[in-house]
Amino acid sequence: MKFRGMHYRWIGLISLSFLIIAGVVFRSVMADPAAATKSVLFSAPAGTLPATEHTPIDGYDAAILPTGRIITPVGTEVSVGAPKPYGMALSADGSVLGTINSGVGPFSVTLIRNLAGAPQTKVVTLDATFQGITFSRDGLRFFASGGEDGLVWVGDSATGAIMAVVNLNTPAHALSGPINPASTPPGTFHGSFPGSMTLDLTGHYLYVVDQGGFLVHTIDTTKIDVINHGILAADPNNFPAVIGTSKTGRYPFAIAASPDRGSLFVANVGIFQYKHLDPVNPTGDRNHDYPVGYPGTSYPDDMENDKTIQIKKVDPRNLPPTLQDPNGIRVGYIPQDTTYTIPGLGSPNVPESSSVYVMNISPSAPVPTLSTVVKTGPLVGRVEEGVPAYGGSHPNAVVAGPNAIYVSNGNNDTISILHPVTLKEIQVISLAVLDGFDAHIKGVQPVALALSPDGNRLYVAEAGINAVGVLRLTGKTAHVEGHIPVGWWPSAVQVSPDGNTLYVASARGRGAPANNNGSSPKASTLGMVNIIPVPGSGLLQTYTSRVLKNNGFVPGSAPQSGIPIPNSFGNPSGQIKHVIFINKENSTHDQLLGDITATREGVPVDGNPAYSLGQAASPNHHELALQFAFSDNFYLEPAVSSDGHRWLTNSYTTEFEDTHWPASYGGRRGDAGDNPNIFLPYPGRLGFTDANSSPAPEDYNQHGGIYLHLIRNGKSFINFGNGYEFAEVDEDGGTDPTGIRNHVNVPMEKVVRENSDHLFPEFNTAIPDAPLPEDPGRFSRFGRFKQVFDSHYVDRAHNVCSLPAYVDLYYPNDHGGGPFDIHPGGPAWSYTRFVQDNDAALGMTVDLVSHSPCWKDTVIFVVEDDVQNGLDHRNGERSIFLAIGPWVKHQYLGKQHYSLASIFKTVNLILGLPPLNQYDLAATDLRDVFTDSPDYTPYNFQTVVYAKGASKAWIELASHIDFRRPDADEVKLRTAIMKSEGLPRPPH
C-alpha cells in the first residue's frame, strides 16, 4: 500500500502545554486576533423576529431559523415528505430524482418526477435507510442503502415498489421471506451498516460503503434475482450478487468512481477504531466486569498505547474534596480497589483516519483493491494559520472529473484538488466567505459535491451557511465564483444532464413549526429539494450577497456601551470575571415558563399556560426569571440530546454526527452492545453513540470546542458532569458518584479531563440533583458542587473568590426518570417531582453563589440541551434562557432572537476571547440583558413543596421507558409526561 501525504504519526506529540503555547503562537502570527475580528459588528439577521417557516423578507419567501439566521431558498421548492434527505440521485436521462431520507422517520425514499414542471412526489416508506441511493443506468431501478437492516433495497423507479433486497450480512445471517419493506425483515442481524453508494460507469457493478464493518461491498447487479429471490420469496437474500468486500478506512462516508473506469475513491471521516472493554473473566456482575466508571485515557496524546490505571473504591456518602486522582480514577460501585488496562487506539493520523482510499477496479477485476491512501486537509496537530488542528479534516465527499479529483474537507472548509494520475494535491481552495482574521474561522462545512457535465464547474453543498458554492474550474485549478441560497443544511447536490439545472437537497428544510400539536422538531423538520436554474454571473453575485446577509456576515454599527460587556474583542470585562454555565435536559419554554404571561413590570411574555407544568413544579426557575432576566425568544440550535451536547460545548455538528443521530433516534442505528459476534467483525458499531451526550473524536471541530478555546487563550475552567458520556455505557442505580460504567475505550478530551471534577456524575436519573429531605446525607449533584465550591473556590474569612473563569455545571434531572429510580423501594417519583429536584438544585446553586464573595463579578446562564419533553406554541425549538447576576438587568425580558451561540459570543466578549467558529462569530450577543448599574442583592432559595407519590398513569407509562440512557425512549417519555401531568391543560 502506498501512502500519500504527511507522515501519519503524531506531529510533535501535541501535549496540553503545546496547545497552550499554540495560543501564544496564534496571537503572534495573527497580531491581535480578538481585536482583528469584525465579530462585534455582526449580529443574527433575525433581529427580534421569532423562528418561523415562512415570512416575507426582501421579496423572498424566507424562514427564520432557531440559529437566528435566515434562509431564502431560490428555485422551485419540493418537500420530500420526511426528515433528513442526506442522499440524492438523478436518473441518467434526468427524468427522475430520488432522495433517501435517513431518520428519524419515516425512513424512506422520495421519488420526484416532472422536474421541469409541477414536480410530483412519491414517498416509499422503508424499514431502514441511510445516505446511499442511485439509479440503474437505464433508470428502471433504484438502489437504496438499508442502513440498520444491513441490506440494499432494489426498487422499481416507475412505481416505487420494492422488488428485492441484497443482504450484505453474509450467509451466516440469512433473512427469511417474505419481506414487508416497511417492517424489519425477519432474521435481521445488526452488523453491516451500508451507506453511500455508486455504480461503475457500465452500471454493472454497485459499490456500497459499510460504516459497521469499514468495508466496501461489490454487488453484481446482473445477479440480483427479482423473480426467484424477490421480497416475497422464502430466500430473499441474493447472496450470489455480493461478489466481494474490500477493507476501507474508518467510517467511510462517500464513494465515487473515476470516469476512466479504473479507480474507486472512498472518503473516510472516522478517527479511531474503538475497542470493547470486554472482561477477560466475566462474572456476569457488571460492577465487577466493567470497572471503568470514568474515562482513563484522553485525547489527543494519552490514548495511543495501552494504559494501566488504578481504580479506587470510594464511598459516595463520604467523598474527599479532591477533584482527581493522579494515579487513575475513583468509582463507587466496584467491590474493591483494582487495576485495569485500557487498550490503546493508536495515532489519530494513521492512513485509515480522515483519508481518501484510492482503489483499483476494472471490468475483469471489479472487486476493489487498495492502491494508495491520500490525506487531504490538515493532519491532527498540524499548525494552520497559527492554530493546531484538533479534529480530523473529515474528507466527506469526492467526485472524479477528467482533469482532477475533488475532495471536500468538511472540518477544514476547503476543497482539495488532486492530480488524476499522481494523486498529489495540486491546490487547496478555501471556501471562506469572510476576509481578514475572520477568514480562518470555520463553519462553512462542505458536505457534498457535484461536477457539471462539461467539467467547468464544481458545486459544493455548504451545510454551515445554507448555500451551494459555485467553483469555476480551469484545467486543474479552481476559484470560487459565488454562492446560491438554499434550505437549512444542504446535504446533497446534483446537476441535470444538460448542465442547466441544479437539484439541492436540504436535510432540515425550513426548520420546525410550533409543536403544540404533539409533534417534535426532530420529526417535524422536513427535508426539501430546490430545483434551481444555474444562475448567470450577475444573478450569482446577487445570490452571494443574499447568502452573506442571511448568515449575518454584513457588518452593522458598533455597540456604544462597554460596561459590563466590552464593545470590542480582546478586552475582558472589567466587571464580570466568572461565567457559570448551567445546562439541563429537554424542556421547551412553554413547559417550564409558559404560565408567565407578563413580567413584574407588566411587559407581555409570549407564553402559553396550557403547556406549562406551573409554578409549583419550578418555583426557583420562576422566581429567577421574574427577578433577573429571561427571554421568550431564545432557541436551541440542536433538536435532541445527542447533537445538543455538542452545541453545549460551542461545537457545531460534524457530518458524522448530523447523519448519525437521526438514524439512532429513529431506532435504526444500534451499537454493538457487548456481543463479540458484532463488534469483532463490525467494529464501527462500537462508535454508534445513541443519545450519548459527549463529543467523541469524530465530533471535534478543527479548532475544538469551548474548553480548548479557553485553555488555548489562557483562561481557566472547571467542568462538573459533562464530557464523558460516550458510546455504550450503563447509567443505572448504584453507580454513584460517577453514575456510569464504560464499555468502550473512547478517550475523553485531555483539556476537559484535566479540568473536571472526576466525582461529579454524568446523566443518571438514579442520582438526585438536589439533597433529599428524607435522606440529606445521600449523594447529590448540588451536594458535590457545594463541597467543591466551598473547599476549592471560596475563602469567606478573607472574602476571596478563586472561581475559574468558566464553570460548566450539569443538572439533568428535569429530563425525568423512572418512578423508582431514586427510591427503588418507593415512594415513587412523578415527573413533576424530578423537575422539582432539578429546580431545587438550581435555586440552591444561585443562593450559594450569591451569598459568596464570587457573586459581585459572576454571571450565571441557564439553558437546556434540547426541547424533546415539552410542547411550545411558538416554535418547536424554543427553550428557556435565564441570565442571573448583579450585572444583569432585573425584572427584564429579552426580546432579541437569541440562541446558544449568543451565549458563547457573550462569553468570548466577557473573557476577552476571539470568536471560535462562524456561529458565535455572527450571533447576536446578550449585552441587551446587562446593565452598567449593578444590584448586588443576593438570591434567596424558594422553598419547593415536593410532590408526593406518582400517578398510576406515570408509573404504568414510565415502566416501559429505559431511563438508563438519555432519550432512549423519548417519544414514550413525552407521551407519559403529557398524560400523567394533564397537558395540555384545558383553557380557563
Side-chain angles (χ1 to χ4, degrees):
M1 178 189 73
K2 297 178 182 177
F3 178 79
R4 300 183 186 275
M6 300 178 64
H7 194 266
Y8 67 80
R9 291 296 297 170
W10 184 255
I11 302 175
L13 190 61
I14 289 186
S15 64
L16 180 60
S17 61
F18 177 69
L19 289 172
I20 296 173
I21 294 170
V24 177
V25 174
F26 173 63
R27 289 182 176 273
S28 65
V29 170
M30 302 301 294
D32 187 350
T37 179
K38 296 179 182 176
S39 179
V40 75
L41 304 178
F42 296 146
S43 61
T48 59
L49 294 174
T52 184
E53 292 178 286
H54 296 278
T55 189
I57 294 179
D58 297 340
Y60 292 93
D61 178 13
I64 309 296
L65 303 180
T67 61
R69 296 182 177 186
I70 294 170
I71 58 169
T72 54
V74 297
T76 300
E77 189 173 307
V78 184
S79 173
V80 302
K84 308 301 186 290
Y86 287 121
M88 183 171 61
L90 183 66
S91 63
D93 64 0
S95 64
V96 186
L97 192 71
T99 66
I100 185 164
N101 314 311
S102 306
V104 296
F107 290 86
S108 55
V109 164
T110 301
L111 300 175
I112 308 174
R113 298 181 178 278
N114 196 27
L115 300 175
Q120 300 172 339
T121 63
K122 181 177 182 61
V123 178
V124 182
T125 300
L126 299 170
D127 180 66
T129 52
F130 191 74
Q131 278 195 288
I133 185 170
T134 193
F135 289 94
S136 61
R137 291 298 180 217
D138 59 13
L140 298 179
R141 294 180 179 180
F142 67 86
F143 305 97
S145 288
E148 182 74 347
D149 291 341
L151 52 77
V152 172
W153 304 102
V154 183
D156 184 304
S157 300
T159 65
I162 297 299
M163 302 183 293
V165 301
V166 179
N167 185 356
L168 302 178
N169 273 320
T170 77
H173 304 288
L175 303 172
S176 58
I179 290 175
N180 174 2
S183 301
T184 302
T188 292
F189 174 73
H190 300 307
S192 175
F193 197 93
S196 296
M197 59 173 55
T198 191
L199 285 166
D200 74 339
L201 292 189
T202 68
H204 192 146
Y205 299 106
L206 178 67
Y207 299 99
V208 187
V209 305
D210 180 352
Q211 291 194 359
F214 300 163
L215 302 169
V216 170
H217 299 274
T218 303
I219 297 173
D220 185 337
T221 60
T222 67
K223 294 183 179 180
I224 301 173
D225 187 347
V226 301
I227 304 299
N228 299 306
H229 296 284
I231 61 171
L232 299 180
D235 175 10
N237 294 281
N238 281 292
F239 287 127
V242 185
I243 62 171
T245 59
S246 308
K247 198 66 180 173
T248 68
R250 295 164 181 171
Y251 297 109
F253 197 83
I255 188 168
S258 65
D260 65 2
R261 299 166 51 185
S263 296
L264 194 69
F265 303 92
V266 181
N268 310 294
V269 299
I271 304 297
F272 292 120
Q273 179 172 318
Y274 298 106
K275 299 176 183 178
H276 194 273
L277 302 178
D278 50 319
V280 177
N281 298 304
T283 65
D285 179 358
R286 291 187 172 224
N287 288 340
H288 177 276
D289 294 346
Y290 297 100
V292 182
Y294 197 91
T297 60
S298 56
Y299 177 98
D301 62 357
D302 185 39
M303 78 289 127
E304 289 198 31
N305 304 309
D306 292 358
K307 181 180 179 181
T308 300
I309 61 171
Q310 295 181 13
I311 305 179
K312 297 179 181 178
K313 181 176 176 60
V314 293
D315 178 3
R317 289 180 177 264
N318 187 29
L319 293 177
T322 53
L323 302 180
Q324 300 163 13
D325 183 333
N327 298 314
I329 63 174
R330 295 169 291 181
V331 175
Y333 61 80
I334 58 174
Q336 59 193 24
D337 292 359
T338 186
T339 60
Y340 191 89
T341 299
I342 299 172
L345 289 168
S347 166
N349 288 322
V350 295
E352 295 87 349
S353 68
S354 275
S355 61
V356 178
Y357 270 40
V358 183
M359 313 183 85
N360 295 324
I361 56 173
S362 69
S364 61
V367 178
T369 57
L370 183 60
S371 171
T372 190
V373 178
V374 179
K375 287 281 194 176
T376 60
L379 298 183
V380 175
R382 176 182 170 185
V383 177
E384 183 181 80
E385 296 175 306
V387 184
Y390 190 62
S393 61
H394 284 236
N396 56 27
V398 58
V399 63
N403 298 316
I405 313 302
Y406 307 93
V407 181
S408 62
N409 302 306
N411 254 7
N412 189 235
D413 288 356
T414 59
I415 304 297
S416 290
I417 302 179
L418 309 180
H419 191 283
V421 178
T422 68
L423 300 174
K424 290 183 178 179
E425 196 171 69
I426 303 168
Q427 187 181 9
V428 177
I429 307 298
S430 171
L431 299 174
V433 295
L434 298 170
D435 55 17
F437 167 81
D438 294 331
H440 95 282
I441 295 177
K442 307 305 178 187
V444 173
Q445 202 174 8
V447 296
L449 301 173
L451 195 62
S452 64
D454 62 10
N456 290 331
R457 280 183 174 80
L458 182 70
Y459 298 100
V460 185
E462 299 168 320
I465 60 172
N466 310 316
V468 168
V470 182
L471 274 63
R472 178 71 177 183
L473 308 180
T474 306
K476 294 179 176 61
T477 63
H479 69 273
V480 178
E481 286 190 319
H483 308 266
I484 302 171
V486 293
W488 190 8
W489 219 92
S491 52
V493 58
Q494 294 284 339
V495 191
S496 63
D498 62 9
N500 294 328
T501 305
L502 295 178
Y503 305 97
V504 183
S506 296
R508 300 177 193 166
R510 287 180 167 269
N515 68 339
N516 51 2
N517 61 356
S519 63
S520 173
K522 65 181 180 293
S524 62
T525 303
L526 302 182
M528 69 185 189
V529 169
N530 285 87
I531 303 172
I532 306 168
V534 171
S537 59
L539 183 56
L540 181 58
Q541 293 312 306
T542 299
Y543 284 166
T544 301
S545 297
R546 187 73 246 173
V547 168
L548 294 174
K549 192 172 183 179
N550 287 349
N551 287 282
F553 296 152
V554 177
S557 57
Q560 298 303 307
S561 174
I563 299 177
I565 306 301
N567 54 18
S568 64
F569 285 84
N571 300 305
S573 172
Q575 295 74 40
I576 302 174
K577 306 299 183 183
H578 316 286
V579 177
I580 300 178
F581 182 61
I582 298 177
N583 42 96
K584 311 185 311 95
E585 286 281 338
N586 290 29
S587 283
T588 62
H589 175 90
D590 274 348
Q591 185 186 38
L592 283 186
L593 301 177
D595 57 319
I596 300 177
T597 56
T599 70
R600 285 179 175 153
E601 294 186 348
V603 177
V605 180
D606 187 9
N608 191 327
Y611 306 121
S612 173
L613 294 168
Q615 182 170 2
S618 57
N620 285 281
H621 284 78
H622 281 68
E623 180 58 28
L624 289 165
L626 293 170
Q627 184 174 330
F628 294 97
F630 72 117
S631 173
D632 61 1
N633 203 18
F634 178 89
Y635 304 85
L636 296 174
E637 288 87 346
V640 297
S641 286
S642 184
D643 63 333
H645 281 261
R646 276 73 179 161
W647 284 100
L648 288 176
T649 68
N650 197 16
S651 299
Y652 53 91
T653 52
T654 65
E655 73 294 296
F656 181 74
E657 165 65 13
D658 210 271
T659 54
H660 161 80
W661 76 255
S664 176
Y665 275 68
R668 294 298 183 267
R669 193 169 165 95
D671 59 37
D674 300 326
N675 186 351
N677 294 321
I678 297 178
F679 65 71
L680 291 177
Y682 301 100
R685 283 189 178 263
L686 289 174
F688 289 3
T689 56
D690 302 309
N692 301 110
S693 69
S694 299
E698 283 72 24
D699 297 309
Y700 301 153
N701 299 156
Q702 179 167 321
H703 294 160
I706 181 64
Y707 308 120
L708 180 62
H709 192 49
L710 289 161
I711 294 298
R712 187 166 52 216
N713 287 277
K715 301 298 179 181
S716 59
F717 77 90
I718 181 66
N719 167 59
F720 294 94
N722 277 311
Y724 67 97
E725 186 189 47
F726 299 121
E728 299 199 25
V729 296
D730 301 325
E731 294 169 324
D732 47 15
T735 55
D736 310 21
T738 61
I740 203 165
R741 301 186 200 94
N742 289 281
H743 291 232
V744 179
N745 66 334
V746 181
M748 190 173 181
E749 287 187 74
K750 185 171 185 176
V751 291
V752 183
R753 195 177 190 278
E754 293 186 347
N755 293 276
S756 292
D757 175 14
H758 291 194
L759 295 178
F760 194 96
E762 252 285 2
F763 178 91
N764 187 312
T765 56
I767 299 175
D769 280 349
L772 300 179
E774 67 273 22
D775 187 2
R778 180 170 169 175
F779 177 74
S780 69
R781 290 182 177 86
F782 170 75
R784 176 61 181 177
F785 174 76
K786 183 178 186 301
Q787 180 187 22
V788 173
F789 183 82
D790 286 341
S791 61
H792 287 265
Y793 302 126
V794 174
D795 180 353
R796 287 185 169 83
H798 298 92
N799 199 35
V800 173
C801 173
S802 302
L803 199 65
Y806 186 81
V807 178
D808 191 320
L809 179 57
Y810 184 40
Y811 286 144
N813 275 2
D814 55 339
H815 176 282
F820 300 100
D821 281 0
I822 298 294
H823 297 302
W829 274 26
S830 63
Y831 175 70
T832 288
R833 180 64 181 87
F834 275 99
V835 174
Q836 290 174 326
D837 175 54
N838 178 261
D839 179 78
L842 174 63
M844 290 175 180
T845 300
V846 179
D847 185 303
L848 174 69
V849 174
S850 71
H851 288 88
S852 79
C854 298
W855 179 241
K856 65 182 182 300
D857 49 16
T858 293
V859 64
I860 301 172
F861 297 128
V862 182
V863 299
E864 304 284 318
D865 72 324
D866 67 68
V867 291
Q868 292 183 92
N869 280 4
L871 304 180
D872 195 276
H873 80 283
R874 170 56 63 189
N875 183 268
E877 296 191 78
R878 190 174 69 144
S879 189
I880 69 161
F881 166 69
L882 304 176
I884 303 160
W887 293 93
V888 169
K889 292 177 182 175
H890 285 39
Q891 300 183 30
Y892 188 74
L893 177 70
K895 284 291 188 179
Q896 294 292 316
H897 186 124
Y898 302 131
S899 69
L900 289 173
S902 301
I903 295 176
F904 290 115
K905 182 170 186 173
T906 307
V907 171
N908 291 337
L909 285 163
I910 289 172
L911 301 181
L913 310 178
L916 175 59
N917 56 54
Q918 290 188 2
Y919 291 92
D920 64 11
L921 172 86
T924 296
D925 63 46
L926 299 171
R927 68 180 64 247
D928 179 59
V929 305
F930 288 87
T931 178
D932 58 4
S933 301
D935 180 345
Y936 296 107
T937 305
Y939 174 77
N940 294 314
F941 174 74
Q942 302 295 296
T943 301
V944 182
V945 180
Y946 293 115
K948 303 292 186 182
S951 68
K952 291 182 179 179
W954 174 252
I955 293 174
E956 166 58 24
L957 292 169
S959 69
H960 303 288
I961 299 171
D962 181 3
F963 287 101
R964 292 172 297 174
R965 293 178 298 167
D967 302 348
D969 293 309
E970 77 289 346
V971 175
K972 294 179 182 178
L973 174 58
R974 192 171 65 171
T975 299
I977 293 170
M978 296 299 113
K979 290 185 176 181
S980 66
E981 301 295 337
L983 300 175
R985 304 189 193 284
H988 294 292

